[in-house]
Amino acid sequence: MIRRKLFILLAAAGLLGPADELSAQRCLPGQTGVQLGGGACGGFLLRDKYGAWSFHAELSVVRYVRKTRYWEFGVGYLRKDYPYREVTIPKEQFTAGAGYFVPIVRDRRDNFMVMTGVSGLLGYETVNRGEKRLYDGATLVSGNGFVYGGEIALRGEAYLCDRVALLLTLKERIMGGSSVSCFHTLLGVGLRIMIY
């Protein structure tokens, strides 16, 4: 009877233990997470007052290799509209890439971290969805094609619990092969869910 009460008491103490023991389960080697993010491209607005869109979206998998260091593998979509007279001409990039992130600031319990990382990207770019001829008879010089390059990123990560983190990311993207613009500044938010 006493053993049973002692066992229940120890089990309850383990479940209601201090939060720092729970945070020790974060960012361990071999842990895997899925993250979804998106935001603005080249500013704070997704759409300006003229109706031009400027946004990006990403889906990626994160794999921790050492405490708080991880590889990120993902796919992304970027759209930026360029004004032309009364219309806008969309440029879209479909990319896949891989990157490595390391911490530059973190608290003792890993509740909040600031990470920096670099990524390599490959993808395909379309301008005006492949249509060369515009409504007024003008012809686009820019065309579709493969693009390549990379990103440098600064990311804030705040853990809401052991398996969910809120992300705030600032990236500078540099893409070769683009017929429109090689540089894009991306500002976004995201959510990471640890699945293993």
Side-chain angles (χ1 to χ4, degrees):
M1 186 71 132
I2 295 176
R3 285 185 187 173
R4 184 176 169 187
K5 288 181 180 179
L6 184 60
F7 176 76
I8 292 172
L9 185 62
L10 288 174
L15 291 174
L16 302 173
D20 60 329
E21 288 184 19
L22 293 175
S23 65
Q25 302 304 310
R26 295 179 186 157
C27 311
L28 297 177
Q31 282 187 324
T32 302
V34 175
Q35 65 188 37
L36 179 64
C41 171
F44 292 101
L45 298 176
L46 299 176
R47 194 169 189 185
D48 67 15
K49 62 182 179 181
Y50 303 109
W53 288 98
S54 179
F55 69 93
H56 67 99
E58 300 169 344
L59 175 65
S60 54
V61 174
V62 169
R63 177 83 172 169
Y64 284 90
V65 289
R66 285 203 253 162
K67 182 141 177 84
T68 66
R69 296 172 187 245
Y70 58 82
W71 283 97
E72 180 179 305
F73 305 94
V75 293
Y77 172 77
L78 179 144
R79 176 176 169 166
K80 184 164 178 63
D81 290 347
Y82 293 90
Y84 174 76
R85 296 189 180 175
E86 298 88 31
V87 299
T88 56
I89 300 171
K91 176 184 85 166
E92 297 168 295
Q93 289 181 349
F94 304 88
T95 56
Y100 187 69
F101 286 77
V102 298
I104 54 175
V105 175
R106 63 179 235 209
D107 69 354
R108 189 172 62 87
R109 294 183 179 179
D110 292 336
N111 291 323
F112 178 76
M113 290 174 268
V114 177
M115 310 290 287
T116 187
V118 293
S119 303
L121 298 171
L122 290 173
Y124 190 75
E125 178 180 274
T126 68
V127 179
N128 202 30
R129 297 185 176 92
E131 293 291 325
K132 289 279 196 183
R133 184 78 60 182
L134 298 178
Y135 76 97
D136 61 355
T139 303
L140 284 175
V141 177
S142 303
N144 302 341
F146 289 97
V147 290
Y148 54 89
E151 294 175 333
I152 184 165
L154 185 65
R155 175 179 290 156
E157 303 181 4
Y159 275 84
L160 306 177
C161 64
D162 282 338
R163 296 200 174 268
V164 179
L166 185 63
L167 312 172
L168 179 61
T169 307
L170 175 65
K171 294 182 181 181
E172 183 64 33
R173 176 179 285 191
I174 305 163
M175 298 297 279
S178 175
S179 59
V180 180
S181 175
C182 296
F183 297 93
H184 293 291
T185 302
L186 311 177
L187 178 64
V189 295
L191 195 67
R192 178 185 301 146
I193 299 174
M194 303 308 294
I195 57 174
Y196 172 71

